[in-house]
């Protein structure tokens, strides 16, 4: 039974692992004629596998709660073996460390210490290579910090990594669409918004919402409205925001442009993009092969945008022409009919979409003083 549970865990069939462990522990205790020590040993491996399952599926708080309960029981169990206790202790230490880094990152982000937030999320990512959902949250959170620092390409890259680790992560998809809008890559933004709409529809349908209710759902309506606006912008064939891609100001010198390009090109080279994800994984694993392909494709698109930015801005004539056109675009956007300020698609939708989609809108929210998990960073993962 233990081998079967471990095999299911290896296959990442988490619900089946928990179900097997919970169902068989009661049956084993009823039918067992073995000693108390043997019975206790049977409970140990089940408890450990449930904890490990929670951890791997991103439910670190649930895993830690169960580990704490286990510790309270084992304090009076002198017969427990050293090896099993070391396994529990090691897992507990890892989870506490990861949650500590994430909490510190969230706190720094709230206090607008964005560089510190990046460091804390990076520390959590460096420590973790097993819990894919937790890594996805850390990448998406770090993307928010990079965005606040004006490092948009770094933020896009992190969102891409979050999305390959968790293809249903709505916040990462929405954030990357916003970031693509910021650099005026409206084609890519539209692709992400279509993906977002498809997932919202799927999640809402799985939750039992009728088509009539679904069509009126505010998140879905906003996503569709946003997509129409982005598609309209895409038809204008507006050039990319080259300065934002390199993370520099329009007043930057040629030396600054060259330095920024070298840094961005080295950081986002397609061949290096998936290194952090696969450093401790088996290269022949089918999942990671697919991940490597997707990450490479996303990085290649970003790398080409970086190259285009340098190609234009490093040439004095091309840069001058681009700056003139950019100034005209900005002047046109400043004033619309009636003297009201023009707002770009990303300005209109970024604020509301940073909240993301709540797949359980019919349930009551937390207390009014709590911070939304969709605002800026994720406090937890579900």
């Amino acid at each position: 039974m233990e081998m079967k549970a471990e095999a299911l865990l290896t296959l990442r069939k988490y619900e089946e692992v928990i179900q097997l462990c919970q169902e068989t522990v009661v049956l084993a205790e009823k039918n067992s004629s073995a000693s108390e020590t043997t019975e206790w040993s049977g409970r140990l491996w089940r408890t450990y596998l449930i904890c490990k399952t929670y951890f791997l599926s991103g439910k670190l708080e649930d895993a830690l709660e169960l580990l704490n309960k286990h510790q309270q029981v084992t304090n009076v169990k002198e017969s427990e073996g050293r090896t099993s206790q070391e396994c529990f202790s090691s897992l507990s230490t890892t989870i506490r460390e990861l949650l500590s880094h994430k909490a510190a990152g969230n706190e720094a982000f709230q206090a607008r210490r964005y560089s510190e937030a990046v460091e804390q999320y990076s520390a959590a990512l460096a420590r973790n290579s097993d819990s894919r959902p937790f890594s996805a949250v850390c990448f998406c959170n770090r993307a928010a910090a990079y965005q606040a620092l004006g490092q948009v390409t770094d933020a896009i890259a992190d969102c891409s990594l979050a999305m390959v680790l968790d293809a249903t992560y709505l916040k990462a998809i929405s954030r990357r669409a916003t970031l693509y809008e910021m650099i005026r890559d409206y084609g890519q933004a539209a692709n992400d918004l279509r993906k977002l709409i498809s997932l919202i529809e799927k999640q809402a349908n799985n939750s039992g919402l009728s088509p009539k209710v679904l069509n009126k759902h505010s998140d879905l309506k906003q996503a569709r409205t946003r997509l129409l606006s982005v598609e309209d912008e895409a038809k204008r064939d507006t050039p990319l925001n080259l300065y934002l891609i390199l993370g520099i100001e329009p007043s930057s010198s040629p030396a600054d442009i060259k330095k920024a390009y070298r840094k961005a090109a080295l950081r986002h080279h397609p061949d290096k993009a998936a290194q952090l994800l696969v450093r401790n994984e088996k290269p022949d694993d089918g999942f990671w092969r697919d991940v490597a392909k997707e990450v490479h494709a996303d990085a290649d698109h970003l790398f080409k945008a970086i190259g285009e930015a340098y190609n234009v801005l490093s040439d004095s004539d091309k840069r001058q022409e681009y700056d003139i056109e950019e100034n005209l675009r900005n002047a046109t956007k400043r004033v619309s009919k009636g003297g009201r300020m023009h707002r770009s698609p990303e300005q209109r939708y970024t604020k509301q979409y940073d909240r993301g989609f709540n797949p359980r809108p019919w349930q009551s929210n937390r207390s009014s003083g709590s911070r939304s998990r969709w605002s800026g960073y994720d406090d937890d993962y579900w």
Side-chain angles (χ1 to χ4, degrees), residues 12-23:
R12 296 184 179 267
K13 296 184 177 181
Y14 300 130
E15 292 183 3
E16 293 183 35
V17 174
I18 293 176
Q19 183 178 0
L20 177 64
C21 291
Q22 291 177 339
E23 289 179 351

Side-chain angles (χ1 to χ4, degrees), residues 79-269:
S79 60
E80 185 184 11
R82 179 181 300 176
T83 301
S84 60
Q85 181 59 29
E86 288 177 351
C87 290
F88 279 100
S89 178
S90 176
L91 182 58
S92 178
T93 298
T94 297
I95 292 175
R96 290 179 189 278
E97 184 177 348
L98 293 176
L99 290 176
S100 176
H101 283 304
K102 179 169 171 282
N106 292 350
E107 181 182 355
F109 185 94
Q110 256 188 319
R112 302 192 177 191
R113 302 192 304 270
Y114 301 120
S115 295
E116 181 182 338
V118 168
E119 291 177 2
Q120 291 294 342
Y121 295 136
S122 297
L125 288 165
R127 183 72 175 83
N128 173 59
S129 62
D130 295 320
S131 183
R132 296 173 190 171
F134 180 80
S135 288
V137 170
C138 289
F139 275 122
C140 191
N141 286 2
R142 194 172 71 173
Y146 276 138
Q147 180 179 350
L149 290 169
Q151 299 172 223
V152 177
T153 51
D154 292 338
I156 291 174
D158 271 4
C159 283
S160 297
L161 294 174
M163 288 166 62
V164 297
L165 288 172
D166 185 353
T168 64
Y169 194 180
L170 298 177
K171 186 168 189 176
I173 299 170
S174 177
R175 173 162 290 145
R176 193 174 75 168
T178 295
L179 292 163
Y180 275 133
E181 288 181 75
M182 290 175 67
I183 63 172
R184 301 200 294 256
D185 191 343
Y186 297 115
Q188 290 296 108
N191 290 337
D192 282 347
L193 289 171
R194 294 186 192 102
K195 185 182 299 184
L196 182 68
I197 290 169
S198 177
L199 287 172
I200 291 175
E201 291 175 336
K202 185 176 181 179
Q203 290 191 13
N205 286 330
N206 289 341
S207 301
L209 292 180
S210 67
K212 185 176 181 180
V213 174
L214 178 61
N215 289 332
K216 292 183 178 180
H217 199 285
S218 61
D219 294 299
L220 184 59
K221 287 182 66 176
Q222 290 172 2
R224 286 172 173 166
T225 301
R226 187 182 176 193
L227 176 60
L228 289 174
S229 180
V230 168
E231 288 176 335
D232 184 58
E233 289 290 335
K235 294 175 184 177
R236 302 175 190 271
D237 199 25
T238 306
L240 297 174
N241 190 327
L242 305 182
Y243 289 107
L244 192 56
I245 289 173
L246 293 183
I248 56 177
E249 298 293 333
S251 59
S252 297
S253 67
D256 292 333
I257 293 172
K258 189 173 185 178
K259 181 179 179 180
Y261 166 71
R262 285 181 173 177
K263 180 180 178 181
L266 181 64
R267 185 178 180 87
H268 299 293
H269 194 283

